[in-house]
Amino acid sequence: MTGYLLFFAAALAGVVGHRSRFARFFVLTACWLIMAFNTSNADFAGYEYFYEFRIEEWSGLNPGYVLSERVAWALGFDFLQYRMMMSTVALLLIAWFVNRYTRNGAIVLSLYLLLPFLYDVVQFKFFISAAIALFALRFLIDRVRFFALKYAIAMLLAYSVHPASVLFTFLLVGLLGRGRSARVSFAITVVIFLLVYTGIAQAVLSGLTDSIKAEAYFAQMSRFGSIPYLISVGLQVFIVYITQSYTAEVFEKADRPTLSVVRCGEGHAQEGQDDAAARFLSFFDSAVYSFLPIAAFIPLSIQNFYRPIRSASILFFIYFAIMLFEQRESLSDRGRTFLVLAFSVWMIGTVFLVYYPVLDLVVAPELTNNLLWS
């Protein structure tokens, strides 16, 4: 019961105190307590076995992940202490990224707690990798000096922890203008769907991984089970697209350029959270279309290929927080109403879609099996 109370209290605190630093700290602390002190979940035993027996070569044990284990071994940590260490690092990366681009970090972290945090507790290795990949976007958004090199290094690190993080590189289309990004993303999406449904993608990708991963990722393609997930992803893109149209409408009436043209050139990243939020919006207005080609892989394996979209949803949450609370003047009343209602429908539907089938497998074990209260 304690785990459930903490979970829902933190979720509520983040929504009610969306701009409160205390609420932000409380939600982040709740995430850490639930994740770091979890003692049993669907993947826990496997991770623990490989760690305790110091197995370094096996399917899914990638160099970056093994390196993090070696650091913990050198420090004399047991497996639970290792999870504490890595959950601290990864959650701080996520919190830093969120706080960089919005003053309303509490509500973003609260939404992250609701989705996809509970899956991150289970799929711990991918969680670490995704945290690095999302943090790496800071270099693209802010266009810091040598941003391309820094981004490449960060993505190599993420890839070394979990190869599926390579799918986050589709977000590079955020560097293109909105129109070009949409056209490129749609074209890539069509190509990927053709490769998937002709079996070419499975044949090629199976040759790039070991037999165990090939069996898990490519052996059995979903026919209709992937449709709700594809609809969820499509709705995310649709919400941003329609919100963009409302934004353009307001700015056209005011005879001003839209927020989407606010870009900072290489080496000229400005200071201040307003500038950071504007840069984020400029990037995400284009990057959101990258969700489509990533989603095109979902029929291959829903749970494995929906993961990047699930993790990248934190970008969608930041967008929602900025547009609703920090850029209110850029949306008409009708635009704000659409954003709130559409986002609520998407959030409720997606949480139900993702968690309802696994309440006993994912949700209950993570909120009840904890060193602090069980």
Side-chain angles (χ1 to χ4, degrees), residues 179-216:
R180 288 182 62 195
S181 172
R183 290 192 295 272
V184 169
S185 296
F186 280 123
I188 296 174
T189 301
V190 171
V191 171
I192 292 174
F193 268 128
L194 289 174
L195 294 176
V196 166
Y197 281 96
T198 57
I200 297 174
Q202 294 89 316
V204 173
L205 295 174
S206 294
L208 300 177
T209 187
D210 60 76
S211 59
I212 296 176
K213 287 297 181 184
E215 179 71 21

mmCIF file of all heavy atoms in Angstrom, residues 179-216:
data_model
loop_
_atom_site.group_PDB
_atom_site.id
_atom_site.type_symbol
_atom_site.label_atom_id
_atom_site.label_comp_id
_atom_site.label_asym_id
_atom_site.label_seq_id
_atom_site.Cartn_x
_atom_site.Cartn_y
_atom_site.Cartn_z
ATOM 1 N N GLY A 179 8.618 21.462 -42.427
ATOM 2 C CA GLY A 179 8.145 20.859 -43.670
ATOM 3 C C GLY A 179 9.049 19.753 -44.163
ATOM 4 O O GLY A 179 8.586 18.665 -44.516
ATOM 5 N N ARG A 180 10.349 20.010 -44.189
ATOM 6 C CA ARG A 180 11.307 18.997 -44.653
ATOM 7 C C ARG A 180 11.307 17.803 -43.715
ATOM 8 O O ARG A 180 11.392 16.649 -44.151
ATOM 9 C CB ARG A 180 12.712 19.595 -44.728
ATOM 10 C CG ARG A 180 12.905 20.583 -45.867
ATOM 11 C CD ARG A 180 14.335 21.087 -45.890
ATOM 12 N NE ARG A 180 15.287 20.003 -46.129
ATOM 13 C CZ ARG A 180 16.596 20.104 -45.907
ATOM 14 N NH1 ARG A 180 17.100 21.241 -45.443
ATOM 15 N NH2 ARG A 180 17.398 19.100 -46.171
ATOM 16 N N SER A 181 11.227 18.071 -42.425
ATOM 17 C CA SER A 181 11.203 16.982 -41.446
ATOM 18 C C SER A 181 10.006 16.073 -41.675
ATOM 19 O O SER A 181 10.140 14.836 -41.648
ATOM 20 C CB SER A 181 11.147 17.563 -40.029
ATOM 21 O OG SER A 181 10.945 16.543 -39.078
ATOM 22 N N ALA A 182 8.837 16.664 -41.911
ATOM 23 C CA ALA A 182 7.627 15.869 -42.148
ATOM 24 C C ALA A 182 7.771 15.033 -43.416
ATOM 25 O O ALA A 182 7.460 13.837 -43.425
ATOM 26 C CB ALA A 182 6.414 16.786 -42.245
ATOM 27 N N ARG A 183 8.260 15.651 -44.483
ATOM 28 C CA ARG A 183 8.389 14.919 -45.750
ATOM 29 C C ARG A 183 9.390 13.784 -45.645
ATOM 30 O O ARG A 183 9.131 12.658 -46.105
ATOM 31 C CB ARG A 183 8.799 15.890 -46.866
ATOM 32 C CG ARG A 183 7.708 16.879 -47.266
ATOM 33 C CD ARG A 183 8.067 17.606 -48.549
ATOM 34 N NE ARG A 183 9.253 18.452 -48.384
ATOM 35 C CZ ARG A 183 9.224 19.715 -47.967
ATOM 36 N NH1 ARG A 183 8.055 20.278 -47.668
ATOM 37 N NH2 ARG A 183 10.322 20.428 -47.871
ATOM 38 N N VAL A 184 10.540 14.067 -45.035
ATOM 39 C CA VAL A 184 11.570 13.034 -44.882
ATOM 40 C C VAL A 184 11.057 11.895 -44.005
ATOM 41 O O VAL A 184 11.240 10.711 -44.318
ATOM 42 C CB VAL A 184 12.859 13.644 -44.290
ATOM 43 C CG1 VAL A 184 13.830 12.539 -43.875
ATOM 44 C CG2 VAL A 184 13.518 14.583 -45.290
ATOM 45 N N SER A 185 10.401 12.243 -42.910
ATOM 46 C CA SER A 185 9.903 11.223 -41.976
ATOM 47 C C SER A 185 8.835 10.350 -42.620
ATOM 48 O O SER A 185 8.836 9.120 -42.454
ATOM 49 C CB SER A 185 9.346 11.892 -40.715
ATOM 50 O OG SER A 185 10.362 12.568 -40.005
ATOM 51 N N PHE A 186 7.917 10.961 -43.340
ATOM 52 C CA PHE A 186 6.872 10.178 -44.014
ATOM 53 C C PHE A 186 7.484 9.233 -45.043
ATOM 54 O O PHE A 186 7.065 8.072 -45.160
ATOM 55 C CB PHE A 186 5.865 11.109 -44.694
ATOM 56 C CG PHE A 186 4.836 11.681 -43.761
ATOM 57 C CD1 PHE A 186 4.688 13.054 -43.632
ATOM 58 C CD2 PHE A 186 4.017 10.849 -43.010
ATOM 59 C CE1 PHE A 186 3.739 13.587 -42.770
ATOM 60 C CE2 PHE A 186 3.071 11.370 -42.144
ATOM 61 C CZ PHE A 186 2.924 12.740 -42.019
ATOM 62 N N ALA A 187 8.474 9.714 -45.792
ATOM 63 C CA ALA A 187 9.114 8.879 -46.810
ATOM 64 C C ALA A 187 9.820 7.683 -46.165
ATOM 65 O O ALA A 187 9.681 6.540 -46.621
ATOM 66 C CB ALA A 187 10.109 9.710 -47.621
ATOM 67 N N ILE A 188 10.564 7.947 -45.082
ATOM 68 C CA ILE A 188 11.268 6.864 -44.382
ATOM 69 C C ILE A 188 10.281 5.874 -43.786
ATOM 70 O O ILE A 188 10.498 4.659 -43.810
ATOM 71 C CB ILE A 188 12.193 7.433 -43.285
ATOM 72 C CG1 ILE A 188 13.298 8.289 -43.919
ATOM 73 C CG2 ILE A 188 12.797 6.316 -42.449
ATOM 74 C CD1 ILE A 188 14.166 8.997 -42.886
ATOM 75 N N THR A 189 9.166 6.395 -43.264
ATOM 76 C CA THR A 189 8.146 5.535 -42.664
ATOM 77 C C THR A 189 7.584 4.560 -43.691
ATOM 78 O O THR A 189 7.432 3.363 -43.413
ATOM 79 C CB THR A 189 6.995 6.389 -42.076
ATOM 80 O OG1 THR A 189 7.524 7.269 -41.091
ATOM 81 C CG2 THR A 189 5.933 5.498 -41.437
ATOM 82 N N VAL A 190 7.287 5.055 -44.879
ATOM 83 C CA VAL A 190 6.751 4.194 -45.936
ATOM 84 C C VAL A 190 7.754 3.114 -46.309
ATOM 85 O O VAL A 190 7.402 1.925 -46.447
ATOM 86 C CB VAL A 190 6.393 5.039 -47.184
ATOM 87 C CG1 VAL A 190 6.052 4.129 -48.366
ATOM 88 C CG2 VAL A 190 5.226 5.965 -46.876
ATOM 89 N N VAL A 191 9.027 3.493 -46.425
ATOM 90 C CA VAL A 191 10.071 2.525 -46.771
ATOM 91 C C VAL A 191 10.191 1.447 -45.693
ATOM 92 O O VAL A 191 10.266 0.247 -45.997
ATOM 93 C CB VAL A 191 11.426 3.238 -46.967
ATOM 94 C CG1 VAL A 191 12.556 2.212 -47.112
ATOM 95 C CG2 VAL A 191 11.377 4.148 -48.188
ATOM 96 N N ILE A 192 10.181 1.858 -44.433
ATOM 97 C CA ILE A 192 10.316 0.890 -43.336
ATOM 98 C C ILE A 192 9.134 -0.067 -43.309
ATOM 99 O O ILE A 192 9.298 -1.284 -43.145
ATOM 100 C CB ILE A 192 10.455 1.616 -41.982
ATOM 101 C CG1 ILE A 192 11.787 2.363 -41.922
ATOM 102 C CG2 ILE A 192 10.363 0.617 -40.825
ATOM 103 C CD1 ILE A 192 11.949 3.228 -40.685
ATOM 104 N N PHE A 193 7.909 0.463 -43.478
ATOM 105 C CA PHE A 193 6.730 -0.415 -43.519
ATOM 106 C C PHE A 193 6.854 -1.441 -44.649
ATOM 107 O O PHE A 193 6.528 -2.625 -44.470
ATOM 108 C CB PHE A 193 5.459 0.413 -43.707
ATOM 109 C CG PHE A 193 4.804 0.820 -42.424
ATOM 110 C CD1 PHE A 193 4.489 2.144 -42.181
ATOM 111 C CD2 PHE A 193 4.478 -0.133 -41.457
ATOM 112 C CE1 PHE A 193 3.875 2.529 -40.990
ATOM 113 C CE2 PHE A 193 3.866 0.239 -40.268
ATOM 114 C CZ PHE A 193 3.561 1.568 -40.029
ATOM 115 N N LEU A 194 7.326 -1.014 -45.802
ATOM 116 C CA LEU A 194 7.492 -1.936 -46.925
ATOM 117 C C LEU A 194 8.522 -3.013 -46.592
ATOM 118 O O LEU A 194 8.307 -4.201 -46.883
ATOM 119 C CB LEU A 194 7.910 -1.166 -48.180
ATOM 120 C CG LEU A 194 6.832 -0.278 -48.821
ATOM 121 C CD1 LEU A 194 7.438 0.533 -49.963
ATOM 122 C CD2 LEU A 194 5.674 -1.130 -49.330
ATOM 123 N N LEU A 195 9.623 -2.604 -45.984
ATOM 124 C CA LEU A 195 10.662 -3.572 -45.618
ATOM 125 C C LEU A 195 10.174 -4.547 -44.556
ATOM 126 O O LEU A 195 10.498 -5.743 -44.587
ATOM 127 C CB LEU A 195 11.903 -2.831 -45.118
ATOM 128 C CG LEU A 195 12.656 -1.980 -46.150
ATOM 129 C CD1 LEU A 195 13.799 -1.225 -45.486
ATOM 130 C CD2 LEU A 195 13.197 -2.856 -47.280
ATOM 131 N N VAL A 196 9.382 -4.045 -43.605
ATOM 132 C CA VAL A 196 8.874 -4.899 -42.528
ATOM 133 C C VAL A 196 7.879 -5.917 -43.070
ATOM 134 O O VAL A 196 7.963 -7.116 -42.772
ATOM 135 C CB VAL A 196 8.222 -4.038 -41.422
ATOM 136 C CG1 VAL A 196 7.395 -4.911 -40.471
ATOM 137 C CG2 VAL A 196 9.287 -3.283 -40.641
ATOM 138 N N TYR A 197 6.925 -5.454 -43.883
ATOM 139 C CA TYR A 197 5.853 -6.342 -44.329
ATOM 140 C C TYR A 197 6.253 -7.225 -45.510
ATOM 141 O O TYR A 197 5.498 -8.131 -45.883
ATOM 142 C CB TYR A 197 4.606 -5.527 -44.650
ATOM 143 C CG TYR A 197 3.854 -5.148 -43.398
ATOM 144 C CD1 TYR A 197 4.037 -3.900 -42.793
ATOM 145 C CD2 TYR A 197 2.988 -6.052 -42.779
ATOM 146 C CE1 TYR A 197 3.375 -3.560 -41.621
ATOM 147 C CE2 TYR A 197 2.323 -5.727 -41.611
ATOM 148 C CZ TYR A 197 2.509 -4.478 -41.036
ATOM 149 O OH TYR A 197 1.859 -4.153 -39.871
ATOM 150 N N THR A 198 7.414 -6.980 -46.083
ATOM 151 C CA THR A 198 7.938 -7.903 -47.096
ATOM 152 C C THR A 198 8.933 -8.892 -46.489
ATOM 153 O O THR A 198 9.375 -9.819 -47.170
ATOM 154 C CB THR A 198 8.644 -7.131 -48.233
ATOM 155 O OG1 THR A 198 9.691 -6.321 -47.684
ATOM 156 C CG2 THR A 198 7.663 -6.270 -48.993
ATOM 157 N N GLY A 199 9.290 -8.693 -45.219
ATOM 158 C CA GLY A 199 10.210 -9.597 -44.542
ATOM 159 C C GLY A 199 11.673 -9.250 -44.732
ATOM 160 O O GLY A 199 12.552 -9.891 -44.149
ATOM 161 N N ILE A 200 11.947 -8.226 -45.545
ATOM 162 C CA ILE A 200 13.342 -7.846 -45.807
ATOM 163 C C ILE A 200 13.999 -7.306 -44.538
ATOM 164 O O ILE A 200 15.154 -7.629 -44.230
ATOM 165 C CB ILE A 200 13.419 -6.799 -46.942
ATOM 166 C CG1 ILE A 200 12.890 -7.401 -48.243
ATOM 167 C CG2 ILE A 200 14.844 -6.295 -47.121
ATOM 168 C CD1 ILE A 200 12.794 -6.403 -49.385
ATOM 169 N N ALA A 201 13.267 -6.505 -43.797
ATOM 170 C CA ALA A 201 13.820 -5.927 -42.570
ATOM 171 C C ALA A 201 14.226 -7.018 -41.584
ATOM 172 O O ALA A 201 15.305 -6.956 -40.980
ATOM 173 C CB ALA A 201 12.796 -4.988 -41.929
ATOM 174 N N GLN A 202 13.361 -8.030 -41.430
ATOM 175 C CA GLN A 202 13.685 -9.115 -40.509
ATOM 176 C C GLN A 202 14.945 -9.857 -40.930
ATOM 177 O O GLN A 202 15.791 -10.189 -40.093
ATOM 178 C CB GLN A 202 12.508 -10.105 -40.421
ATOM 179 C CG GLN A 202 11.253 -9.525 -39.787
ATOM 180 C CD GLN A 202 10.330 -8.860 -40.773
ATOM 181 O OE1 GLN A 202 10.772 -8.114 -41.647
ATOM 182 N NE2 GLN A 202 9.033 -9.107 -40.642
ATOM 183 N N ALA A 203 15.068 -10.118 -42.221
ATOM 184 C CA ALA A 203 16.224 -10.859 -42.720
ATOM 185 C C ALA A 203 17.520 -10.076 -42.503
ATOM 186 O O ALA A 203 18.534 -10.630 -42.073
ATOM 187 C CB ALA A 203 16.042 -11.169 -44.204
ATOM 188 N N VAL A 204 17.470 -8.787 -42.785
ATOM 189 C CA VAL A 204 18.672 -7.962 -42.645
ATOM 190 C C VAL A 204 19.038 -7.761 -41.189
ATOM 191 O O VAL A 204 20.186 -7.960 -40.779
ATOM 192 C CB VAL A 204 18.461 -6.585 -43.334
ATOM 193 C CG1 VAL A 204 19.641 -5.669 -43.038
ATOM 194 C CG2 VAL A 204 18.295 -6.771 -44.834
ATOM 195 N N LEU A 205 18.061 -7.372 -40.375
ATOM 196 C CA LEU A 205 18.338 -7.068 -38.969
ATOM 197 C C LEU A 205 18.712 -8.306 -38.169
ATOM 198 O O LEU A 205 19.510 -8.230 -37.236
ATOM 199 C CB LEU A 205 17.121 -6.373 -38.339
ATOM 200 C CG LEU A 205 16.789 -4.992 -38.922
ATOM 201 C CD1 LEU A 205 15.489 -4.462 -38.330
ATOM 202 C CD2 LEU A 205 17.927 -4.011 -38.654
ATOM 203 N N SER A 206 18.158 -9.455 -38.524
ATOM 204 C CA SER A 206 18.519 -10.695 -37.828
ATOM 205 C C SER A 206 19.992 -11.020 -38.014
ATOM 206 O O SER A 206 20.635 -11.595 -37.130
ATOM 207 C CB SER A 206 17.667 -11.863 -38.345
ATOM 208 O OG SER A 206 16.311 -11.684 -38.006
ATOM 209 N N GLY A 207 20.523 -10.635 -39.171
ATOM 210 C CA GLY A 207 21.938 -10.892 -39.425
ATOM 211 C C GLY A 207 22.862 -9.963 -38.672
ATOM 212 O O GLY A 207 24.069 -10.207 -38.618
ATOM 213 N N LEU A 208 22.295 -8.903 -38.071
ATOM 214 C CA LEU A 208 23.114 -7.936 -37.345
ATOM 215 C C LEU A 208 23.131 -8.179 -35.843
ATOM 216 O O LEU A 208 23.758 -7.424 -35.102
ATOM 217 C CB LEU A 208 22.601 -6.513 -37.626
ATOM 218 C CG LEU A 208 22.625 -6.063 -39.088
ATOM 219 C CD1 LEU A 208 22.021 -4.675 -39.221
ATOM 220 C CD2 LEU A 208 24.060 -6.081 -39.635
ATOM 221 N N THR A 209 22.443 -9.237 -35.393
ATOM 222 C CA THR A 209 22.392 -9.504 -33.956
ATOM 223 C C THR A 209 22.542 -10.994 -33.713
ATOM 224 O O THR A 209 22.620 -11.788 -34.652
ATOM 225 C CB THR A 209 21.063 -8.985 -33.365
ATOM 226 O OG1 THR A 209 21.096 -9.113 -31.949
ATOM 227 C CG2 THR A 209 19.875 -9.771 -33.907
ATOM 228 N N ASP A 210 22.590 -11.380 -32.451
ATOM 229 C CA ASP A 210 22.747 -12.808 -32.131
ATOM 230 C C ASP A 210 21.409 -13.517 -32.233
ATOM 231 O O ASP A 210 20.348 -12.888 -32.334
ATOM 232 C CB ASP A 210 23.338 -12.968 -30.732
ATOM 233 C CG ASP A 210 22.475 -12.343 -29.652
ATOM 234 O OD1 ASP A 210 21.443 -12.937 -29.299
ATOM 235 O OD2 ASP A 210 22.833 -11.244 -29.164
ATOM 236 N N SER A 211 21.441 -14.839 -32.161
ATOM 237 C CA SER A 211 20.236 -15.641 -32.389
ATOM 238 C C SER A 211 19.175 -15.415 -31.319
ATOM 239 O O SER A 211 17.972 -15.455 -31.611
ATOM 240 C CB SER A 211 20.609 -17.132 -32.440
ATOM 241 O OG SER A 211 21.231 -17.538 -31.225
ATOM 242 N N ILE A 212 19.606 -15.173 -30.085
ATOM 243 C CA ILE A 212 18.636 -14.960 -29.000
ATOM 244 C C ILE A 212 17.864 -13.671 -29.229
ATOM 245 O O ILE A 212 16.633 -13.630 -29.112
ATOM 246 C CB ILE A 212 19.357 -14.926 -27.632
ATOM 247 C CG1 ILE A 212 20.008 -16.288 -27.351
ATOM 248 C CG2 ILE A 212 18.379 -14.561 -26.516
ATOM 249 C CD1 ILE A 212 20.813 -16.321 -26.071
ATOM 250 N N LYS A 213 18.567 -12.603 -29.559
ATOM 251 C CA LYS A 213 17.906 -11.326 -29.832
ATOM 252 C C LYS A 213 17.083 -11.402 -31.115
ATOM 253 O O LYS A 213 15.997 -10.813 -31.199
ATOM 254 C CB LYS A 213 18.950 -10.212 -29.950
ATOM 255 C CG LYS A 213 19.568 -9.816 -28.620
ATOM 256 C CD LYS A 213 18.520 -9.248 -27.679
ATOM 257 C CE LYS A 213 19.133 -8.828 -26.357
ATOM 258 N NZ LYS A 213 18.097 -8.364 -25.398
ATOM 259 N N ALA A 214 17.576 -12.094 -32.106
ATOM 260 C CA ALA A 214 16.835 -12.229 -33.360
ATOM 261 C C ALA A 214 15.504 -12.926 -33.113
ATOM 262 O O ALA A 214 14.472 -12.546 -33.692
ATOM 263 C CB ALA A 214 17.660 -13.018 -34.373
ATOM 264 N N GLU A 215 15.510 -13.922 -32.244
ATOM 265 C CA GLU A 215 14.275 -14.636 -31.909
ATOM 266 C C GLU A 215 13.294 -13.713 -31.193
ATOM 267 O O GLU A 215 12.096 -13.723 -31.459
ATOM 268 C CB GLU A 215 14.606 -15.838 -31.016
ATOM 269 C CG GLU A 215 13.405 -16.650 -30.563
ATOM 270 C CD GLU A 215 12.775 -17.463 -31.690
ATOM 271 O OE1 GLU A 215 13.465 -17.710 -32.698
ATOM 272 O OE2 GLU A 215 11.594 -17.833 -31.544
ATOM 273 N N ALA A 216 13.814 -12.894 -30.276
ATOM 274 C CA ALA A 216 12.950 -12.010 -29.482
ATOM 275 C C ALA A 216 12.409 -10.845 -30.293
ATOM 276 O O ALA A 216 11.261 -10.427 -30.115
ATOM 277 C CB ALA A 216 13.727 -11.491 -28.277
#
